[in-house]
Amino acid sequence: SDEIRKLELPTRDPLVWWLPIVRGITSNKIVAGMRNLGVDLWLYADDLDVAVPTHDRHPDRDGSYVIGFRRKIKADEENKNKSANELKKWGHKGITLPERLFLEAGFFVATGRHLDVSSDTLCAGSRDSDGNVPVVFWGSGSRKVYVHWCGPDSSHGVLRSRSAVSLPAKVAIGD
């Protein structure tokens, strides 16, 4: 298509990381890109797109969007000790697995460093095929980004969701 997509950021807040999530982006494609950048990953499933089919937001289903998360290395402190099921019951809008992987890739390209060096991001906006919730973190000892999982009722102080600070803004299509 000859359409040009213009992603417009809702605000220019320096405390927010804005993610443009466009049609066709998948966890597997992001992982492949990260590996091309030299990032070593450990994945609990070889095919994350098959293993984790359920997301609160997905560009192929909902259309391309821009979403914002707090500009922090650690996942959000106020979400510690809260399970994905608890957060969902409270109406929490948490990060999805593709969003978290894309955030990691962008942070790595910009800084050469990794997120979640002392916390684990609970991707509360996603579920794997068994109903479990993906978890992403940096393992400093092994020097790998880990994509693991936990049960939907799991909670502890290191495990935290990242809250969307701006709900998805639709992509303007124009010429």
Side-chain angles (χ1 to χ4, degrees), residues 124-135:
S126 296
R127 294 288 193 279
D128 74 10
S129 53
D130 293 328
N132 294 310
V133 184
V135 176

Side-chain angles (χ1 to χ4, degrees), residues 97-113:
L97 179 59
E99 292 165 354
R100 174 57 182 80
L101 290 170
F102 196 57
L103 186 61
E104 179 74 31
F107 186 74
F108 180 75
V109 166
T111 67
R113 300 181 333 200

Side-chain angles (χ1 to χ4, degrees), residues 107-168:
F107 186 74
F108 180 75
V109 166
T111 67
R113 300 181 333 200
H114 296 278
L115 299 170
D116 292 312
V117 295
S118 62
S119 66
D120 302 352
T121 293
L122 176 69
C123 299
S126 296
R127 294 288 193 279
D128 74 10
S129 53
D130 293 328
N132 294 310
V133 184
V135 176
V136 180
F137 61 93
W138 169 248
S140 58
S142 62
R143 307 206 44 80
K144 293 182 182 183
V145 171
Y146 284 81
V147 179
H148 214 285
W149 60 269
C150 68
D153 290 316
S154 296
S155 64
H156 58 78
V158 174
L159 184 63
R160 307 163 185 184
S161 180
R162 290 177 184 267
S163 300
V165 296
S166 172
L167 293 180

Side-chain angles (χ1 to χ4, degrees), residues 17-107:
W17 279 319
W18 296 104
L19 297 178
I21 306 295
V22 297
R23 288 184 191 272
I25 197 168
T26 68
S27 295
N28 288 344
K29 287 178 182 177
I30 299 165
V31 165
M34 290 170 70
R35 286 185 167 143
N36 285 339
L37 292 169
V39 176
D40 197 5
L41 294 105
W42 182 91
L43 310 175
Y44 79 94
D46 291 332
D47 187 334
L48 290 176
D49 296 333
V50 169
V52 187
T54 305
H55 307 285
D56 289 349
R57 296 167 298 281
H58 196 283
D60 290 344
R61 179 191 67 218
D62 306 323
S64 300
Y65 60 92
V66 175
I67 190 164
F69 297 94
R70 287 185 192 102
R71 189 179 290 252
K72 293 183 175 186
I73 305 287
K74 285 180 162 185
D76 299 345
E77 179 80 18
E78 70 272 12
N79 293 328
K80 72 180 181 179
N81 294 315
K82 296 177 184 169
S83 73
N85 281 348
E86 280 180 278
L87 291 165
K88 185 174 185 157
K89 187 171 30 174
W90 296 335
H92 172 74
K93 302 297 183 202
I95 198 165
T96 66
L97 179 59
E99 292 165 354
R100 174 57 182 80
L101 290 170
F102 196 57
L103 186 61
E104 179 74 31
F107 186 74

